[in-house]
Amino acid sequence: ATGSGGMESLLVNLLSAGDEVLVVVSGKFGERWAEMAAVFGAKVHAIHVAWGNSVDPSEIKKILSEYKKIKLVMTQACETSTGTAHDIKKIGEIVSETDALFLVDGITAVGAYEIKMDEWHIDGLVAGSQKAVMLPTGLSFISLSKKAWKICEAAKTPRFYFDLRKEL
C-alpha cells in the first residue's frame, strides 16, 4: 500500500474506538492522520501548527499532562506538504514518560533524516517507497516497538488486509 495505507495500518492495529489521541496537524498529512483517527472512532485532540512551522514539544507535554487518557501521540517526522521537520527525539522523550504510544509518519523522512526508533522512543513508524527511498509509490514499511505489539494484540478496531497480527 502507499504511505497513507501504512498510516492507516498503524491506526487500525493500535486503536480502539473511543481511545483519545493527540495529533500534530501542521500540514496535509497531519490533517489526514487526524481524519483517519476520527473515522476509526477516536476522540481526536489536535495541535494545529501554522503550516511551515514545527510543533513546540512543550505543547505536547502540556496536553499529555492535561489529558491523561491519550493513548496515541501522532506526528510526521517531516510534514511532506511543507517540508517542515519536527523534533522527534524530544517528542519521543516526552511521550515515553506516559503510557501513550508515539507514532511517527516518517514517509518523507526515513532515508533522508536520522531516525532512531528505539533510542527516540518511537512505538510505531511508517515509511514509504516514494520519497527518500526513491522507488515508485505503493510500498510502505511499518515497524512497531515491543510496547506497541502488546497494544496491537488488544486493539479492537476491525482489520483484515492491514492486520499485523497475521503478518507477525
Side-chain angles (χ1 to χ4, degrees), residues 105-124:
D105 164 358
I107 295 166
T108 301
V110 170
Y113 295 103
E114 181 176 62
I115 297 183
K116 296 182 178 182
M117 186 168 171
D118 295 333
E119 192 175 314
W120 295 358
H121 310 284
I122 298 169
D123 295 300

Side-chain angles (χ1 to χ4, degrees), residues 19 57 61 71 95 100 111 159:
D19 284 352
K61 187 171 188 165
K71 300 280 177 93
V95 176
R159 49 204 138 146

Side-chain angles (χ1 to χ4, degrees), residues 44-168:
V44 178
H45 302 275
I47 298 176
H48 292 277
V49 180
W51 287 33
N53 293 315
S54 298
V55 68
D56 180 348
S58 67
E59 287 187 57
I60 292 171
K61 187 171 188 165
K62 179 183 173 199
I63 292 171
L64 287 173
S65 67
E66 191 174 333
Y67 297 95
K68 304 283 188 191
K69 293 183 180 180
I70 289 176
K71 300 280 177 93
L72 306 175
V73 176
M74 304 149 52
T75 188
Q76 283 65 45
C78 175
E79 171 55 62
T80 304
S81 61
T82 65
T84 303
H86 297 291
D87 189 346
I88 298 305
K89 181 178 179 183
K90 181 63 178 170
I91 298 167
E93 290 171 7
I94 292 166
V95 176
S96 74
E97 296 173 1
T98 72
D99 290 332
L101 297 177
F102 183 35
L103 306 186
V104 176
D105 164 358
I107 295 166
T108 301
V110 170
Y113 295 103
E114 181 176 62
I115 297 183
K116 296 182 178 182
M117 186 168 171
D118 295 333
E119 192 175 314
W120 295 358
H121 310 284
I122 298 169
D123 295 300
L125 178 65
V126 59
S129 58
Q130 72 274 25
K131 302 296 181 191
V133 180
M134 298 186 343
L135 295 171
T137 191
L139 182 62
S140 57
F141 312 96
I142 299 169
S143 183
L144 297 180
S145 69
K146 289 179 183 177
K147 180 180 172 183
W149 275 113
K150 290 177 186 172
I151 301 302
C152 182
E153 292 297 328
K156 302 212 182 320
T157 300
R159 49 204 138 146
F160 179 79
Y161 184 73
F162 290 133
D163 190 342
L164 297 179
R165 298 169 299 184
K166 292 177 187 175
E167 298 306 317
L168 181 63

